[in-house]
Amino acid sequence: MTTTPPHEPPPDAAEGGVRVEVYGIRHHGPGSARAVRRALEEFRPDAVLIEGPPEADAIVDLAADPGMVPPVALLAYAPGEPPLPGDDGASGSDRRAAFWPFAEFSPEWQAVRYALDEGVAVRFCDLPAANQLVPPSPPDDHEHDHGDEREDGDEAREGIRLDPLGWLARAAGYEDAERWWDDVVEHRDGGPSPFPAIAEAMAELRERVADEPSVKGLPPGYLLREEQREAAMRRTVRRALKDGFERVAVVCGAWHVPAILAKVPAARDDQTLRGLPKAKVSMTWVPWTHGRLAERSGYGAGVRSPGWYAHLFAAPDRPVERWLTDAARILRQEDLHVSSAHVIEAVRLAEALAALRGRPLAGLDEVTEAARAVLCEGADLPVELIRRRMAVGERLGSVPDDTPMVPLQRDLADRQRRLRLAPSADARELELDLRRDLDLARSRLLHRLRLLEVDWGVPAESRGRGTFRETWTLCWRPEFDVELIEASAWGTTVAGASAARATAMAAEAESLAELTAVVERCLLADLAEALPAVMGTLADRAALDGDVAHLMDALPALVRALRYGDVRGTGTGPLRTVVDGLVVRVCVGLVPASRGLDDDAARALLGRLDRAHSALALLDDAAHTARWHTTLAALVDRDDLHGLLGGRLTRLLFDVGILTDVPDRMARAVSAGVAPARAAAWVEGFLSEGGLVLVHDDVLLRLVDGWIAALPADAFTSVLPLLRRAFGEFAAAERRAIGDRVRHLDAAPSARRGDDPIDPVRAAPATATVLRILDPEARP
């Protein structure tokens, strides 16, 4: 505990009965949280100042509400204006928001709860969020990179400023800063207060960087912003004393303790803070997750294991025994055999490891090693299960209903309650049956949120059959609150905002395919308000676009929307007119679009042909299907058609029963008079749908086998990449089946040259090569 005596009092503090205590903490530490709570109970302050944005003073009382369950976070955001159609960027232009997270084991949270429980004034004492949510000021001359003038001590001073705990850990002989801090603070319960020693250590470290510290490697404006923050902290202390508080407690990051206690004239701090740019900001509480408190999430003040720290705070007595008991319970839930004897031995091992390593308490490393060796018997997967469920311990907090929210957030919360879709930080699957009104409403809500770029639900491949089923993966992330705030520029309800967003997306779509995707999403989300404008834009764009490729790209999304609209109860009348026109125009323009194509263009058209063919099969319209098949039949006989397309069209028409002379066509396509590259492209196109046709049709298999066997050596080398690509796309089972049938084929006449019998010795290398192509696992 750091008091003003024997340290110099902060500016403007009277020497009478006024006392200012400064508690330097590390954010999110159970030992620090308990120490702060204990120190506050001993000091009995009449005002508590906490590092954080002062705009939160107006809503800090909500922390006492029973509905406020950590982890939670203060969210400051600068509301943006909605973009005009054609503007770049998402709604609200640049995102300007910042979070201040709190867990149950955060010292700041315990300080807030102490103050509210005791009826003590509580304020935040950092630089206002209004000054932080603006671009940083340009660095002064003394902040520029010293370049070649950098001295040997600069690197050390940088390390102290950026990671003071890491420097202290190394000085104490630790390579891991978190392990050192755990040993000296977090794993200790009771004993003398750690705050005087922390303040003394930080004062010493700051002395080392006081003289012209190097800033190479620091973010732009870092030093200036730190000076501004500490000036704001000192000014808040002065205001508290001026307001008549005589016992003031300050809870802040350990690095700032010497700065708060320093004798700095008020005029200097006022000068530092004068004229800072400001943004109009709003402040609220939002749910947070343990996962976002972890270092791996990118959070600057993150900890390695939020779940472990939460456990240490909740179970200060026998934490090792309780942890390993919970781990055993999790493993037993997965039908793994773990007994009480395993737990006892694991506890003994963890404590022995801690003693060997000189640690006051077994830490996460020791209990993990003990669990791996005893409970998991050396297996990695059970250890990963324990890590995921316990070490991180994903948990989503909650905020009271009367927390300030933008209307869009409140509308979503209301719909979540009505539809019984509680947000959760753990990913879970949701199966929907669109024939049920509740599931249909859930589907529409999730699709509308995706239009607002709030991907709470992500569509997954449905395991059921039929168009009336959907599968979603749901996982709530704290950032969604910021995205909802940004999306509120489009409207006050989920339905209204998503409709406005869809209309703007349709106006901004650069291609017909993008526009049709918007139409499909509108139908899935049942946005009747936006659909007329979006359909009008689509009709105008489709009428003016004469590029067959664009029309073919647009067709699948429209057909899906048309086919599934009836299942979802969505009106699709105007869409049918657009689809009818697109099909006719695609059939008319496909033949001229297929002329004179190189390999890349032919491959691109092949993909479009497949997608259009599948879309028309899904549409199941007899007139359109007949028109499409007539177009393909007219195209397949063209002499100037690329071999890849020729083979693919032959296969498509063969599958629907229109072509019956496929063996003759294949014989001509792979005959000796056809260039090997064209023949290989034809075979690749024909087999691009899969190799089952070769498994079930001996005639076609003999033709392919005979053509490959008859290829000259140089021609075989040139077409080998095409063949490998064609056969490489087959499933492993198909390749094995083809290889097995090739082994048992009788010698075909097409595989012979003249009347000479096949020489098995001369044919063996070619046979082995073909078998490897057909099935890499096959042995000749």
Side-chain angles (χ1 to χ4, degrees), residues 321-332:
E321 291 88 335
R322 296 179 186 275
W323 177 270
L324 290 170
T325 300
D326 290 341
R329 182 180 301 112
I330 288 175
L331 295 177
R332 283 196 293 266

Side-chain angles (χ1 to χ4, degrees), residues 612-631:
H613 188 77
S614 299
L616 290 172
L618 179 65
L619 184 60
D620 195 21
D621 182 284
H624 287 325
T625 300
R627 182 179 292 107
W628 176 250
H629 290 166
T630 301
T631 302

Side-chain angles (χ1 to χ4, degrees), residues 39-61:
L40 291 174
E41 291 171 350
E42 293 175 359
F43 179 44
R44 310 292 298 177
D46 54 6
V48 177
L49 308 183
I50 300 170
E51 182 180 334
E55 290 92 342
D57 291 351
I59 59 173
V60 69
D61 289 346

Side-chain angles (χ1 to χ4, degrees), residues 710-723:
L711 284 173
D714 55 344
F716 178 80
T717 302
S718 65
V719 302
L720 185 58
L722 297 177
L723 294 174

Side-chain angles (χ1 to χ4, degrees), residues 110-122:
Q110 290 300 315
V112 168
R113 290 308 307 262
Y114 168 84
L116 296 177
D117 292 345
E118 299 296 327
V120 173
V122 56

Side-chain angles (χ1 to χ4, degrees), residues 81-84 87-95 452-453 486-487 489-490 501 508:
E81 297 295 328
L84 298 174
D87 287 351
D88 295 331
S91 64
S93 61
D94 294 333
R95 170 176 292 186
L452 297 175
E453 299 181 2
E486 292 178 345
W490 296 106
R501 176 63 174 149
E508 297 168 0

Side-chain angles (χ1 to χ4, degrees), residues 248-381:
V248 178
V250 183
V251 179
C252 64
W255 178 257
H256 303 298
V257 171
I260 294 176
L261 295 173
K263 292 187 64 175
V264 179
R268 177 179 171 185
D269 286 341
D270 292 341
Q271 178 65 31
T272 300
L273 299 173
R274 184 176 295 122
L276 293 182
K278 291 184 178 181
K280 182 180 179 181
V281 300
S282 298
M283 182 72 66
T284 187
W285 290 97
V286 296
W288 203 248
T289 67
H290 273 177
R292 286 297 186 272
L293 290 172
E295 286 178 338
R296 59 186 178 84
S297 71
Y299 173 41
V303 296
R304 184 174 304 163
S305 174
W308 171 249
Y309 273 6
H311 173 77
L312 289 180
F313 186 79
D317 61 316
R318 297 189 175 275
V320 175
E321 291 88 335
R322 296 179 186 275
W323 177 270
L324 290 170
T325 300
D326 290 341
R329 182 180 301 112
I330 288 175
L331 295 177
R332 283 196 293 266
Q333 290 172 354
E334 299 298 325
D335 294 329
L336 297 175
H337 300 291
V338 181
S339 67
S340 57
H342 284 90
V343 176
I344 294 172
E345 290 303 319
V347 170
R348 289 174 177 172
L349 177 57
E351 292 176 344
L353 289 173
L356 287 172
R357 295 168 180 174
R359 306 195 70 180
L361 178 73
L364 181 61
D365 291 341
E366 285 73 30
V367 296
T368 300
E369 291 176 31
R372 181 189 300 276
V374 181
L375 303 185
C376 305
E377 298 181 349
D380 291 333
L381 288 179

